[in-house]
Amino acid sequence: MINDIESNYITTKTTIKPSREQFNIFSGKKFGQFWHVPAGNSYMGNFYRDAGVNYLWSDNSGTGSVPLDFETVYNKAYDADYWCFKVGFNGDYSRNNLINEYENYSDFKAFKTGNIIICN
């Protein structure tokens, strides 16, 4: 089973055709005082690279997560095309949930355009 998953992933990765337009993506969200973004060599950083998108923290050589303050994330990601994050939420998770958690999320371009990928 795991070998099938790996084989399918590698096949998919090698068949991705580069887009003419390069999309910027950022990940994670604020939790307490910090926003934890996946480092560039984390499994999520590699996933974004394999998908052919420009992950904004791909230049970070770490393999875990990087704790940042909101202002640091905002300065780098305010005009990113997409926002992707994981949640463990009982039910549907929406933009309204985000605003209820932290109203400044609405300042991101990805929030305004609805280009949010939520993995619940």
Side-chain angles (χ1 to χ4, degrees):
M1 170 109 172
I2 191 73
N3 290 337
D4 291 338
I5 294 169
E6 179 185 21
S7 176
N8 289 339
Y9 185 89
I10 291 169
T11 299
T12 301
K13 179 174 94 168
T14 58
T15 60
I16 292 174
K17 293 184 172 54
S19 172
R20 284 188 215 122
E21 185 177 351
Q22 186 70 29
F23 296 104
N24 294 320
I25 192 167
F26 68 107
S27 188
K29 62 187 187 97
K30 194 172 178 308
F31 185 77
Q33 295 298 315
F34 295 100
W35 188 308
H36 294 268
V37 300
N41 287 324
S42 67
Y43 77 93
M44 285 303 296
N46 286 314
F47 179 72
Y48 294 134
R49 184 174 20 267
D50 291 348
V53 297
N54 180 37
Y55 175 53
L56 296 179
W57 276 269
S58 64
D59 60 345
N60 182 291
S61 62
T63 58
S65 66
V66 181
L68 302 169
D69 58 40
F70 177 81
E71 292 77 13
T72 299
V73 174
Y74 182 80
N75 284 334
K76 194 166 191 170
Y78 74 95
D79 67 345
D81 302 299
Y82 288 91
W83 180 10
C84 181
F85 59 88
K86 301 177 289 183
V87 295
F89 189 77
N90 187 13
D92 292 331
Y93 191 89
S94 69
R95 292 169 65 198
N96 288 335
N97 295 97
L98 284 170
I99 292 299
N100 289 335
E101 289 177 16
Y102 194 65
E103 67 182 38
N104 292 337
Y105 287 152
S106 65
D107 292 337
F108 288 101
K109 173 186 167 185
F111 183 93
K112 292 175 183 175
T113 60
N115 290 336
I116 305 171
I117 303 163
I118 302 169
C119 303
N120 188 5

